[in-house]
Amino acid sequence: MNPSKRWKYLKIWVLISLALIVLFPDVVFDTTTNILGFLFDHFVEFSHILFESVEMVLDHVIEHLFETDLHSTQTIVFYVLLAIGSYLLYRMGRYFLHLYRRSRLAWSEFRTEHPFDAMEYWRELTRFEKIKLIVIPMVILYLYVMFFM
């Protein structure tokens, strides 16, 4: 399929999708939330099964390696998993702290490069742009209230 034909089909697909979203927003919203809920439920179930399998493997390895009874094995496995979880939480915390600092720095750089004064922006708008700026959010709010409430 050549690129121009692919682009044409993509445009048609986008227009059909937009028409469906405009005409049936409740059905699209409900379908999307159902699909995302289905995926989330299966992800949680898969994570639980993965954790249980890791725990079972650790139980067997520690029990055969150290020749301990059931209670001692479970205690050792608990503390091993607690140490692994603590380390993962520590690494995630450091990553998110780094991400937060980088985002804060990028935001402050953006604010210094692009100062924004709302009153100055409003004064520079034409009358038609001011009307658009007021009417469009009102229409969106009206449609939201009519279709989603």
Side-chain angles (χ1 to χ4, degrees):
M1 181 181 295
N2 62 11
S4 65
K5 211 171 201 181
R6 186 177 300 150
W7 183 248
K8 180 181 174 183
Y9 285 130
L10 181 66
K11 284 181 186 178
I12 291 171
W13 175 250
V14 167
L15 289 174
I16 290 172
S17 300
L18 286 175
L20 287 174
I21 290 171
V22 169
L23 294 174
F24 308 109
D26 54 337
V27 174
V28 172
F29 182 75
D30 188 45
T31 305
T32 305
T33 54
N34 283 339
I35 290 171
L36 291 176
F38 173 80
L39 291 175
F40 179 74
D41 289 343
H42 280 73
F43 173 73
V44 168
E45 185 69 27
F46 176 73
S47 327
H48 176 71
I49 290 172
L50 184 66
F51 176 78
E52 288 293 330
S53 62
V54 167
E55 184 181 16
M56 187 175 61
V57 167
L58 273 174
D59 273 342
H60 289 296
V61 166
I62 289 174
E63 190 172 357
H64 290 294
L65 192 65
F66 297 116
E67 297 177 3
T68 58
D69 60 335
L70 179 65
H71 179 70
S72 300
T73 302
Q74 289 176 342
T75 305
I76 293 170
V77 167
F78 170 76
Y79 283 112
V80 166
L81 289 175
L82 185 66
I84 291 171
S86 299
Y87 176 73
L88 290 176
L89 281 175
Y90 169 74
R91 296 300 295 179
M92 278 182 15
R94 292 208 28 151
Y95 174 74
F96 285 126
L97 183 63
H98 174 71
L99 186 66
Y100 168 72
R101 288 180 179 156
R102 205 170 70 198
S103 300
R104 191 178 64 188
L105 180 66
W107 176 250
S108 64
E109 287 176 2
F110 176 79
R111 294 284 293 166
T112 56
E113 290 176 8
H114 306 289
F116 179 73
D117 184 18
M119 293 303 293
E120 189 66 32
Y121 176 72
W122 182 260
R123 285 187 201 115
E124 291 177 1
L125 289 177
T126 64
R127 184 178 306 257
F128 182 68
E129 290 171 336
K130 289 178 184 178
I131 292 171
K132 281 193 328 189
L133 194 63
I134 293 172
V135 170
I136 290 174
M138 288 173 57
V139 168
I140 290 173
L141 184 65
Y142 171 75
L143 291 174
Y144 174 75
V145 168
M146 290 304 292
F147 289 116
F148 290 114
M149 292 289 176

